[in-house]
Amino acid sequence: MVRPIDKLMQNETSTATQPNRLQRYLRWGKDGALMGIGYMLSPLSWWNDLFFNLPIAYGFGYVVRWFVPEWFLPATVVGYWLSNVLGIVMMQFAATDLLLDQRSPNLRRDLLIGFGTSTAYTLLVVALIYFHVVETPLLFSQR
């Protein structure tokens, strides 16, 4: 049997450890922004590749080309893959922070999931370009 004083003590300790309303709104704002940016970079928003992932990948390839000109295409693929990984990992961190308050973060597992899904998506896109299902005449033209 639970005594009334025990119930009162439980309520006081549970409210003392809960974040206040401002902290919750700030957390939702931070995680919401992280989720939005991650979504824009992730493979889930394939339509945003033209505006986010491909310019990042092209810029990465261009910088690498300054040092080794032959590495432009591989560096562009790596830049594309890294931007997808970053997007998925950002979304995972935001979602776990928003949805699972008591879960301790498992960085290794989250990174492995991000690397795996981004690698599969990037390999699919590279295969589509390689087998000329998707044409990119201006992006990879010889100068």
Side-chain angles (χ1 to χ4, degrees):
M1 179 169 190
V2 177
R3 299 180 312 190
I5 190 74
D6 291 334
K7 275 186 160 181
L8 183 61
M9 292 301 285
Q10 286 175 348
N11 287 339
E12 286 180 11
T13 58
S14 66
T15 57
T17 59
Q18 291 179 352
N20 64 21
R21 192 174 284 191
L22 178 62
Q23 288 173 333
R24 280 185 287 164
Y25 288 141
L26 289 175
R27 191 182 90 203
W28 274 85
K30 173 190 67 105
D31 290 333
L34 195 65
M35 180 74 83
I37 294 169
Y39 178 75
M40 294 298 182
L41 290 173
S42 76
L44 298 176
S45 64
W46 58 269
W47 52 272
N48 275 337
D49 277 350
L50 183 61
F51 302 108
F52 292 101
N53 295 72
L54 290 177
I56 290 169
Y58 186 80
F60 186 76
Y62 188 75
V63 168
V64 169
R65 191 178 94 173
W66 285 345
F67 303 106
V68 183
E70 302 84 43
W71 287 4
F72 174 71
L73 182 59
T76 302
V77 171
V78 168
Y80 180 75
W81 174 71
L82 287 174
S83 67
N84 281 316
V85 167
L86 180 65
I88 286 180
V89 169
M90 288 171 70
M91 286 178 53
Q92 283 176 321
F93 283 131
T96 54
D97 192 34
L98 282 174
L99 301 176
L100 305 173
D101 289 334
Q102 303 302 323
R103 182 182 154 250
S104 61
N106 188 344
L107 181 63
R108 183 176 184 187
R109 185 190 62 126
D110 291 343
L111 287 176
L112 285 175
I113 291 171
F115 281 128
T117 54
S118 295
T119 300
Y121 181 76
T122 302
L123 288 175
L124 174 69
V125 170
V126 169
L128 290 174
I129 291 171
Y130 180 78
F131 291 114
H132 301 288
V133 174
V134 175
E135 294 293 329
T136 57
L138 298 177
L139 183 62
F140 303 117
S141 65
Q142 298 294 326
R143 293 182 186 192

